[in-house]
């Protein structure tokens, strides 16, 4: 019996040791969505502090049809968790700010167009999309839906929020999966299979201890190459979107959340790095003030030496970047609506 126990311990030790090491030494120091996905550790003291107050954003479902304020439809950049740009807008707005999350199965554009076809949309709408998903989201935009699609999308939208959190993994299963992912990432020394990439900047752009010149970003930021034909099709879709809005007496503001890599590529130490030019090539093709390019604001801040515009360990804006984009959006809305009382901006 003792021999059996010792053999069991001997054979299980190579499995138990990495799990214990991961649970005690690695997992507590993994922060941010890039840290979690890429299994990278960061300083526990890294916090981008702000004393600014944020407002309340109303998270709504498809079935919420009576809106008397400003509707935001976007991806994770628009979610009112912490100091997001929508939270800042809500703190300054004289109207209610509503947020309707666009998940992977339906883009912000199609969600907006679907609701507009049913006349379930307020006068002012902000559509937000991160840069890396803009081409496929925009090119898939539909301005009319069949009766079958209307029924199908209604069912999806009214049930998704009630079901997506029902399935939960046990902590033991989660720990095992996370440990196996961490081991896989470490074995893959050059990071070819890691969805999170890391490169070095020649200028410190973050205040995270030990990572001041480190740029962590999604591999997806590098994957898209665009042709002139694709850009033309995207511009045509955008023009059609604004024409649709004008015909339906809706003011749609499209906010492009610049990819983290796009902002910091100018500061990459390796001069042979891949250059991303989607926004520079696309935005001039759309001649309308209703298109808001966050890069216009954020690149000026980076050039002025502002650090932590994005979180070091995350793909999203820090409170610093989020507030700057919120100001950009609020100013554009007040300008085009001809109403300076819509937002009370900080001085």
């Amino acid at each position: 019996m003792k021999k059996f126990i010792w053999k069991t311990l001997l054979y299980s030790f190579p499995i138990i040791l990495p799990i214990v090491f991961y649970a005690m030494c690695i997992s507590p120091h993994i922060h941010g969505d890039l840290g979690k996905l890429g299994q990278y550790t960061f300083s526990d003291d890294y916090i981008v502090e702000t004393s600014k107050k944020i407002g309340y954003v109303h998270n709504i479902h498809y079935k919420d049809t009576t809106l008397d304020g400003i509707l935001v439809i976007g991806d994770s950049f628009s979610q009112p968790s912490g100091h997001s740009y929508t939270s800042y807008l809500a703190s300054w707005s004289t109207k209610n700010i509503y947020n309707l999350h666009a998940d992977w199965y339906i883009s912000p554009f199609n969600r907006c167009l679907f609701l507009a076809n049913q006349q379930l949309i307020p006068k002012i709408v902000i559509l937000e999309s991160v840069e890396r998903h803009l081409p496929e989201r925009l090119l898939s935009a539909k301005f009319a839906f069949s009766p079958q699609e209307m029924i199908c999308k209604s069912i999806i939208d009214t049930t998704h929020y009630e079901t997506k959190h029902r399935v939960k993994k046990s902590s033991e299963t989660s720990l095992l999966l996370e440990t196996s992912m961490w081991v896989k990432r470490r074995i893959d020394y050059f990071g070819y299979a890691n969805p999170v990439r890391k490169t070095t900047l020649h200028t410190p752009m973050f205040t995270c201890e030990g990572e001041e010149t480190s740029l962590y970003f999604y591999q997806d930021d590098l994957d898209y190459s665009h042709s002139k034909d694709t850009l033309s099709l995207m511009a045509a879709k955008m023009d059609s979107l604004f024409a649709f809005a004008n015909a339906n007496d809706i003011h749609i503001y499209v906010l492009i959340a610049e990819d983290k890599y796009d902002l910091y590529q100018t500061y990459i130490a390796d001069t042979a790095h891949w250059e991303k030019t989607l926004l520079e090539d696309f935005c001039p093709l759309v001649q309308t003030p209703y298109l808001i390019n966050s890069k216009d604001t954020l690149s000026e801040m980076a050039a002025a030496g502002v650090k932590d515009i994005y979180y070091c360990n995350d793909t999203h804006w820090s409170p610093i970047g989020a507030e700057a984009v919120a100001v950009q959006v609020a100013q554009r809305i007040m300008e085009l609506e001809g109403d300076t009382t819509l937002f009370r901006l900080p001085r």
Side-chain angles (χ1 to χ4, degrees):
M1 187 65 180
K2 285 185 178 181
K3 190 175 182 180
F4 171 76
I5 294 174
W6 279 109
K7 276 190 175 181
T8 302
L9 291 173
L10 180 63
Y11 286 120
S12 61
F13 185 75
I15 299 175
I16 295 175
L17 182 60
I19 295 176
V20 173
F21 176 77
Y22 177 83
M24 297 181 65
C25 303
I26 303 298
S27 182
H29 309 296
I30 290 179
H31 305 292
D33 63 355
L34 295 175
K36 293 175 183 176
L37 186 61
Q39 292 294 301
Y40 289 109
T41 58
F42 295 88
S43 170
D44 297 334
D45 298 325
Y46 176 60
I47 299 175
V48 181
E49 296 183 353
T50 178
S51 59
K52 303 294 180 63
K53 294 182 179 180
I54 56 175
Y56 178 72
V57 179
H58 302 265
N59 278 313
I60 63 170
H61 297 195
Y62 163 80
K63 55 190 175 186
D64 297 318
T65 58
T66 305
L67 305 178
D68 58 353
I70 299 174
L71 175 62
V72 179
I73 306 178
D75 49 39
S76 57
F77 276 84
S78 296
Q79 298 315 295
S81 55
H83 290 74
S84 64
Y85 82 93
T86 52
S87 299
Y88 282 112
L89 288 177
S91 70
W92 308 329
S93 179
T94 56
K95 293 179 175 288
N96 288 329
I97 301 291
Y98 299 94
N99 175 68
L100 184 60
H101 185 46
D103 267 332
W104 59 268
Y105 61 88
I106 180 169
S107 75
F109 300 101
N110 277 337
R111 186 178 285 275
C112 174
L113 293 167
F114 172 65
L115 294 175
N117 272 283
Q118 294 185 297
Q119 298 182 336
L120 301 177
I121 211 162
K123 177 84 172 181
I124 301 176
V125 182
I126 301 171
L127 295 185
E128 175 272 316
S129 174
V130 69
E131 178 184 353
R132 61 181 166 272
H133 294 315
L134 179 64
E136 63 264 32
R137 287 175 174 174
L138 188 54
L139 293 175
S140 66
K142 299 181 62 174
F143 297 92
F145 298 88
S146 67
Q148 293 80 7
E149 287 178 313
M150 298 289 278
I151 295 173
C152 178
K153 291 183 184 298
S154 297
I155 294 173
I156 290 175
D157 285 340
T158 53
T159 59
H160 175 67
Y161 292 91
E162 299 171 3
T163 60
K164 69 175 183 177
H165 293 303
R166 286 182 183 174
V167 180
K168 292 186 177 180
K169 300 183 181 76
S170 67
S171 58
E172 294 82 2
T173 303
S174 178
L175 181 60
L176 181 60
L177 290 174
E178 290 175 10
T179 304
S180 63
M181 183 184 297
W182 173 74
V183 172
K184 180 181 178 181
R185 298 285 189 261
R186 300 293 76 79
I187 293 176
D188 179 31
Y189 180 78
F190 293 101
Y192 295 125
N194 196 329
V196 176
R197 291 299 178 90
K198 177 184 178 182
T199 191
T200 302
L201 305 175
H202 59 65
T203 304
M205 300 302 293
F206 304 99
T207 59
C208 183
E209 183 180 356
E211 303 288 358
E212 292 84 354
T213 58
S214 296
L215 175 62
Y216 293 85
F217 60 93
Y218 279 143
Q219 163 67 27
D220 289 350
D221 287 2
L222 304 176
D223 283 347
Y224 191 81
S225 58
H226 50 276
S227 64
K228 289 185 178 180
D229 290 340
T230 299
L231 291 170
S232 297
L233 290 172
M234 290 172 60
K237 281 280 188 175
M238 192 69 80
D239 290 338
S240 297
L241 174 68
F242 291 124
F244 175 90
N246 185 57
N248 288 273
D249 196 26
I250 304 169
H251 294 173
I252 296 178
Y253 297 82
V254 176
L255 170 64
I256 303 176
E258 180 187 14
D259 287 337
K260 185 178 181 182
Y261 177 89
D262 193 351
L263 177 65
Y264 292 113
Q265 63 179 326
T266 306
Y267 308 95
I268 295 177
D270 183 3
T271 56
H273 68 273
W274 183 74
E275 185 177 359
K276 186 169 189 138
T277 62
L278 176 61
L279 297 183
E280 286 79 4
D281 296 337
F282 169 67
C283 290
L285 300 178
V286 184
Q287 298 297 321
T288 174
Y290 287 93
L291 177 63
I292 305 173
N293 181 4
S294 64
K295 187 173 184 176
D296 295 340
T297 294
L298 302 181
S299 58
E300 290 183 4
M301 295 172 63
V306 178
K307 297 180 180 179
D308 294 317
I309 298 173
Y310 286 74
Y311 285 109
C312 176
N313 53 21
D314 203 284
T315 193
H316 298 94
W317 299 316
S318 75
I320 298 170
E323 182 181 16
V325 172
V327 170
Q328 181 186 13
V329 172
Q331 289 177 336
R332 185 70 59 85
I333 291 176
M334 288 191 293
E335 176 189 350
L336 297 184
E337 298 297 324
D339 186 356
T340 57
T341 65
L342 285 174
F343 297 94
R344 300 189 183 96
L345 297 182
R347 294 181 179 180

